[in-house]
Amino acid sequence: MTVHLGLRKVLISLMLAGSTIVVCADQYVQDDAWPQAWFEAFPTASSRQLNNFTQSPYLDGRNLPPVGERLPPDPPIVTPLDPDGRYGGTARITRNEWLTFPNVETPLAISADMRTFLPNLALRWEVTEAGKHITFYLRRGVRWSDGHPFTAEDLAFSFNDLFLNKEFAPVSIRSIRGGRAVVVNPLTIRYEFPYPNPLFVNWLAQYGNFMLAPKHHFAQFHPDYAGKASVDAKMKEMGYLNWTIFLRALPREVVRESVDMPTLNAHKLISWSITRLVYERNPYYFKIDPQGRQLPYIDRIESAVVDEKEVIAAMASTGQLDFSAYELKTQDIPLLKLGERTGDIKVLIWNRLHTSDVVIQMNYNHADQRLANLYWQRKFRRALSIAIDRDEMNELIYFGRGTPGQVTAHPSSSYFEPEFRTAWTQYDPEQAKAWLADLDLHDSDGDGIREYPNGDPLTITLEYMDWETPKQINMQLVASYWRAIGVDLRLKIIDASLQQARGTAGEMQMTVWHADRTTDILFPLQPEWWLPRRAAWDISMWNDWARWYGTRGAMGKKPPPIIEELQALGDIMLETTDPAERIAAGKKVLASNAENVWNIGTVGLAPQPVVISKRLRGVPARGTWGWDNRWTMAYHPATWYFAD
């Protein structure tokens, strides 16, 4: 084993030669190669005395208004990583990259430091002292891709008429529940809540593109505007069950009619089929480069629908894609580095922001009360944790480039403490065995599996969906470590529909997901890895307690006092307008997890391969990859370009 592993490390080192993999905590905050402008509000044309604007030749001859009239009166300037950007070209990606390669616009931008929100579609915002009113002042002159003005009416429609509509959203999101959007004037919108909700700013920054429905287009499909009979007839003619299904499908670009939907993004969908989607530059996109050239640089995007991850990795390694990352895994790096030798691709090594690639979740509310009671024993949870050889996992799965540890805040976060990550991670299977024996779990029949006191074998079924991070290989190793201490873990891969149904219903004994929502962007808003607040399919540890919390005792089960204390700390994080009080509450939540091991992590902050073609420029060599920062948002894909 040692010789084999040593040889493996030598081979991997050779394959990774020339690559830089970020592993130091201080490098998660800022890379010296990134422009300082990525941490600041966009300058505008007037501040740089820019008066002349140009467009891509791709738009010539289209009978459009002059580019200066399509841009806002004072357009924002995006600083590219590479100042030599040029127009042209068609980018080849897969459907999986639909939210990672194109520039996706939200009211607020997320800074490259993963801590700061910056003006974007909104120029500024205010939160009242009580935290109940949040006002956004929009940028003047922004237009949808069809030329229609973007105003506060669009945001109010999304909030009031969609997400607060019981047909469209039967279960309202905690961040918007009880609120309403008030249009003060065409460029000012005020969100009002009956309770303090200052972190709505975080929500609108991270999830904001889902709150940007073009009212002038969507209203024709909404019964409150077009009339129920008219909309029902239209849905029947188009072949959809109802208007809510249709309007949910439009922005996800999973229906042919999405080509008619206006967008604020840098590229607009113009062709849709079950195998291929095509985008072209948005002629009304509102951003420019420092030379006054309207962005984006790339004219077209062709997106192939490919379901098999192995096929995507093969396409990326052979230069058939200009950008690929979403479906690539750390284990793909050797294959990709071999492909790099042809000169057709370049393999960049970013780092995933997940503090653990898996969050092992015990279902404390499972119907099998004996199992649920065992989970509730802190000694049992600690035993399972220290039985995992995280250092070996790091070598075998991540080539030694990940970070072993528990599920906690990201190193860039204000909530991060090193001891939270290392708690109960020392590999000590003998101590684990002793603790299991203390719980009267013994291998009485000598088959290697411990039994409950009544003689039934200690068998746990873990159901999971193998998606986004390398869950299968992680859990195969975990199963082998737990079997070595006498715990029989049975692994069962399921599809998305089963994960959603069984996870939400609390029917799975154990499951896993990946530990995003760990940065200052989302941790204080959604600390559900550490306290039950939302009954969900991806967080299936304590849905009955979450329902009790969400319905104020009308549904679910009352949680133990220690869990109620965590929920109260979560409320403080959500409602306080004092950053110091929020951080103190968040650290108490994370300290509780470090002490009690509510969930179990393995290895995180892992290398993420990002493959680009030899002609693509402007992509940073290092970056942080994950949901919290919306993958590439802070690195401005609208400024990426082709060298030939």
Side-chain angles (χ1 to χ4, degrees), residues 151-163:
T151 72
E153 292 286 351
D154 297 308
L155 288 165
F157 175 83
S158 303
F159 193 95
N160 296 331
D161 297 311
L162 294 181
F163 284 92

Side-chain angles (χ1 to χ4, degrees), residues 264-369:
L264 297 171
N265 297 339
H267 293 87
K268 183 195 180 308
L269 182 68
I270 61 167
S271 174
W272 186 98
S273 74
I274 59 173
T275 59
R276 183 171 172 267
L277 287 76
V278 179
Y279 303 78
E280 70 176 10
R281 61 184 311 111
N282 173 2
Y284 287 90
Y285 190 59
F286 66 105
K287 295 177 180 177
I288 61 174
D289 75 359
Q291 285 74 50
R293 296 178 292 179
Q294 184 190 34
L295 294 171
Y297 291 136
I298 294 174
D299 287 329
R300 285 169 54 96
I301 301 173
E302 293 186 356
S303 175
V305 179
V306 182
D307 294 327
E308 294 79 12
K309 299 177 184 180
E310 295 79 7
V311 174
I312 295 174
M315 293 174 68
S317 68
T318 53
Q320 299 179 57
L321 302 172
D322 291 301
F323 180 90
S324 184
Y326 190 78
E327 293 290 3
L328 302 181
K329 297 180 179 179
T330 305
Q331 303 98 293
D332 296 325
I333 292 177
L335 170 67
L336 299 171
K337 295 301 283 187
L338 287 173
E340 190 177 46
R341 296 178 180 178
T342 66
D344 292 330
I345 64 169
K346 184 172 180 61
V347 182
L348 310 176
I349 305 297
W350 291 13
N351 277 83
R352 290 194 287 277
L353 59 77
H354 313 87
T355 55
S356 178
D357 269 4
V358 295
V359 185
I360 303 173
Q361 305 171 46
M362 292 154 280
N363 186 355
Y364 299 107
N365 300 151
H366 196 269
D368 183 343
Q369 195 60 52

Side-chain angles (χ1 to χ4, degrees), residues 50-308:
L50 277 175
N51 301 307
N52 296 316
F53 307 107
T54 57
Q55 68 177 19
S56 168
Y58 185 82
L59 297 177
D60 292 349
R62 294 202 176 194
N63 198 31
L64 291 165
V67 63
E69 296 179 13
R70 301 197 309 271
L71 289 166
D74 197 14
I77 299 172
V78 183
T79 301
L81 180 66
D82 188 329
D84 297 326
R86 64 191 73 173
Y87 286 131
T90 298
R92 303 161 301 164
I93 63 171
T94 62
R95 171 73 169 111
N96 315 70
E97 306 292 348
W98 74 293
L99 284 178
T100 69
F101 183 85
N103 223 85
V104 176
E105 300 303 330
T106 57
L108 304 180
I110 297 173
S111 167
D113 65 7
M114 299 195 297
R115 293 178 177 174
T116 310
F117 300 128
L118 301 172
N120 194 42
L121 293 168
L123 274 176
R124 60 188 178 92
W125 61 97
E126 296 172 352
V127 180
T128 62
E129 185 176 352
K132 295 183 179 181
H133 291 178
I134 299 98
T135 304
F136 291 87
Y137 302 88
L138 305 182
R139 194 180 296 274
R140 186 163 61 98
V142 176
R143 295 178 180 272
W144 293 93
S145 57
D146 60 358
H148 196 280
F150 164 67
T151 72
E153 292 286 351
D154 297 308
L155 288 165
F157 175 83
S158 303
F159 193 95
N160 296 331
D161 297 311
L162 294 181
F163 284 92
L164 291 183
N165 183 290
K166 291 300 183 183
E167 281 188 79
F168 186 83
V171 180
S172 61
I173 303 166
R174 169 63 174 81
S175 294
I176 69 174
R177 189 176 303 152
R180 66 170 184 154
V182 177
V183 175
V184 179
N185 60 53
L187 295 180
T188 307
I189 186 167
R190 183 174 64 247
Y191 296 93
E192 299 178 350
F193 300 93
Y195 49 86
N197 194 21
L199 292 185
F200 181 72
V201 173
N202 296 46
W203 196 89
L204 200 60
Q206 211 281 343
Y207 293 91
N209 65 301
F210 301 110
M211 299 292 286
L212 291 176
K215 180 180 179 180
H216 67 285
H217 184 72
F218 274 39
Q220 64 182 308
F221 307 111
H222 197 298
D224 290 351
Y225 290 86
K228 184 178 186 305
S230 174
V231 170
D232 286 348
K234 189 174 293 188
M235 292 300 105
K236 183 177 181 180
E237 179 184 352
M238 296 169 64
Y240 295 98
L241 289 176
N242 56 56
W243 68 276
T244 65
I245 292 175
F246 178 66
L247 288 190
R248 283 188 174 277
L250 275 187
R252 293 190 292 121
E253 300 176 348
V254 294
V255 292
R256 195 177 307 276
E257 291 83 0
S258 296
V259 301
D260 300 319
M261 188 187 76
T263 185
L264 297 171
N265 297 339
H267 293 87
K268 183 195 180 308
L269 182 68
I270 61 167
S271 174
W272 186 98
S273 74
I274 59 173
T275 59
R276 183 171 172 267
L277 287 76
V278 179
Y279 303 78
E280 70 176 10
R281 61 184 311 111
N282 173 2
Y284 287 90
Y285 190 59
F286 66 105
K287 295 177 180 177
I288 61 174
D289 75 359
Q291 285 74 50
R293 296 178 292 179
Q294 184 190 34
L295 294 171
Y297 291 136
I298 294 174
D299 287 329
R300 285 169 54 96
I301 301 173
E302 293 186 356
S303 175
V305 179
V306 182
D307 294 327
E308 294 79 12

